[in-house]
Amino acid sequence: MVADDLQLQAGARLLHIGPHKTGTTMIQDALHLARERLAAHNVVYPGTGRQPLRAMLAVTGQPTLLGEPEPDMADWALLAREVTAAQDQRVVVSSEFLAEASDAAACRVVRDLGGPRVHVVVTLRPLTRILPSQWQQYLQNGYRFHYLEWLEGILKDPPDTPTPGFWRRHRHDELVARWMKAAQNVTVVVVDDDDRMMLLRTFESMLGLPRGFLVPGANAANRSLTLAEAEVVRQLNEEFKRRRWPSRHYARFVRYGAVQQMKTRQPEPGEPRIATPVWALKRATEIGAEMAGNIAALGVPV
C-alpha cells in the first residue's frame, strides 16, 4: 500500500540513493523509458541513460567498474547544470552508487543539486535478501571469491573481507544517518517483495504522477544467476587474472557478454540456486533487526 500524502512540492529534487539490490534497476528503467512523457507532467529525469553512473562515480570519488571508461567531474558538472536548468519542475535523480558517498561527498551532492530542495529517498530490503544478489554483483565486477568464503568475511565481527564497501552500502542505519546530516529531508521506503509494483507507485506519488504512469522495463525482470552460472563467471574471472587479459575487455566480454548471454536462457526447474546457509541467515537477521531499531530511533519517515 502507498500513502496518498507523499507528493513533493514543485521544484523538489528527489534524490534516490539506493542502496544496491533494493529495486534500483526497476526504478531507473521505468524512469528512463518515461523520460519524454515525464516532461508533460513537469518532471525531469536528467541525462540520457538509465542512470548517470559516470557522474556519480566522479562526485563520490569511486573507481569505475572493471573495464568501463574512467569517470570525469565534467560529467557531474553537466548533470548539476541540467538539474539547475529544470527550475521549478520536479527532478528525480537515481543512483545506487551514492550509497557509498562519504560525508563530504554527500554534502556536495545535496548542495550542487539544490540544497533545501533536495529530498533524499533510501530504499531498503532485508539483508538476507541482499546477500546472494550482492555477491553476484561482485562476481560481475571481476571478483573471484566463493559465496561461503565471502559470507564468512562479511559477517565476522569485525568484518574481514575484500569488499569493505558492502557495509558502507548496507549498514543501513549508518547510511540513513549519514544522509540525514547532508539533507534536510530524508525518507526511507521499505521494499515489499510481495508487491513488486509498490516502489513504482511510491515514486509516482512523490513526483505527482498518475497511478500506473511508470511501468517496468525489460531489465526489471533481470534474473539472478544460478549456482552453476555464478561459478562459470567466477572461473572466467580466474582466467582473466591468470592470463593477464587487459581489464578494458572485461565489460564487453564478461559483464555484457557471457553474463548477459546466460541470462537469456530460462533455467530448468531443478537447477540449484544460490543458497545462503542457516548460520548466515541468522546473523544477517540479527544485524537487520539492530539496524531497523536504530533507523526507528533516528525519527526519519518510513
Side-chain angles (χ1 to χ4, degrees):
M1 181 169 297
V2 177
D4 296 326
D5 58 351
L6 297 176
Q7 183 170 324
L8 302 180
Q9 63 185 9
R13 279 52 174 136
L14 192 166
L15 181 63
H16 175 220
I17 66 165
H20 298 67
K21 304 305 171 186
T22 60
T24 53
T25 297
M26 180 173 68
I27 293 167
Q28 292 158 6
D29 278 354
L31 291 167
H32 177 53
L33 286 172
R35 183 178 269 115
E36 293 184 4
R37 293 189 296 119
L38 286 168
H41 295 270
N42 291 316
V43 176
V44 175
Y45 189 50
T48 57
R50 188 172 63 82
Q51 69 153 308
L53 176 60
R54 284 166 53 88
M56 297 309 178
L57 293 178
V59 75
T60 58
Q62 296 177 66
T64 187
L65 300 177
L66 187 63
E68 302 282 3
E70 288 297 321
D72 191 307
M73 280 302 291
D75 297 308
W76 172 252
L78 180 62
L79 178 69
R81 286 197 299 272
E82 190 171 350
V83 172
T84 301
Q87 298 182 337
D88 289 334
Q89 298 179 93
R90 294 186 184 94
V91 178
V92 53
V93 176
S94 174
S95 177
E96 60 271 33
F97 290 90
L98 287 172
E100 288 195 55
S102 65
D103 289 8
C107 287
R108 174 171 185 170
V109 167
V110 170
R111 182 180 69 247
D112 289 359
L113 296 187
R117 287 185 166 195
V118 173
H119 193 118
V120 173
V121 173
V122 188
T123 47
L124 299 181
R125 295 178 75 212
L127 196 57
T128 53
R129 300 291 188 97
I130 287 171
L131 288 171
S133 297
Q134 188 65 88
W135 173 67
Q136 290 184 49
Q137 202 67 41
Y138 284 128
L139 285 187
Q140 293 172 52
N141 198 35
Y143 285 89
R144 305 183 304 280
F145 36 71
H146 293 276
Y147 187 40
L148 293 183
E149 172 192 357
W150 179 71
L151 284 175
E152 288 169 357
I154 281 289
L155 297 174
K156 276 185 179 179
D157 188 15
D160 177 18
T161 170
T163 60
F166 176 84
W167 287 118
R168 185 76 180 168
R169 302 171 178 178
H170 293 300
R171 185 70 209 196
H172 298 151
D173 49 355
E174 295 178 3
L175 173 65
V176 172
R178 188 159 68 245
W179 281 88
M180 287 180 74
K181 294 176 185 176
Q184 297 177 15
N185 300 295
V186 178
T187 296
V188 171
V189 178
V190 180
V191 177
D192 182 353
D193 284 327
D194 293 327
D195 180 5
R196 63 189 299 268
M197 300 302 291
M198 172 263 193
L199 270 181
L200 296 184
R201 301 294 85 86
T202 301
F203 274 66
E204 287 169 353
S205 294
M206 298 187 84
L207 295 169
L209 298 171
R211 184 174 178 82
F213 184 90
L214 296 175
V215 296
N219 283 333
N222 194 15
R223 68 170 178 84
S224 297
L225 297 172
T226 66
L227 181 61
E229 289 168 341
E231 178 59 15
V232 169
V233 177
R234 198 191 67 78
Q235 299 238 10
L236 280 172
N237 295 343
E238 291 279 13
E239 284 297 291
F240 249 84
K241 178 73 172 178
R242 186 177 70 83
R243 296 174 180 265
R244 299 181 181 179
W245 287 334
S247 60
R248 66 180 182 275
H249 295 323
Y250 188 84
R252 177 183 177 189
F253 290 110
V254 180
R255 185 179 302 117
Y256 305 124
V259 172
Q260 291 305 313
Q261 282 297 312
M262 288 179 195
K263 290 182 178 182
T264 60
R265 76 178 188 92
Q266 188 64 35
E268 297 295 328
E271 288 189 53
R273 303 305 175 103
I274 298 164
T276 305
V278 173
W279 69 265
L281 291 173
K282 180 181 178 182
R283 178 64 183 135
T285 300
E286 293 170 349
I287 296 171
E290 179 187 348
M291 294 192 298
N294 291 341
I295 290 171
L298 289 171
V300 64
V302 178

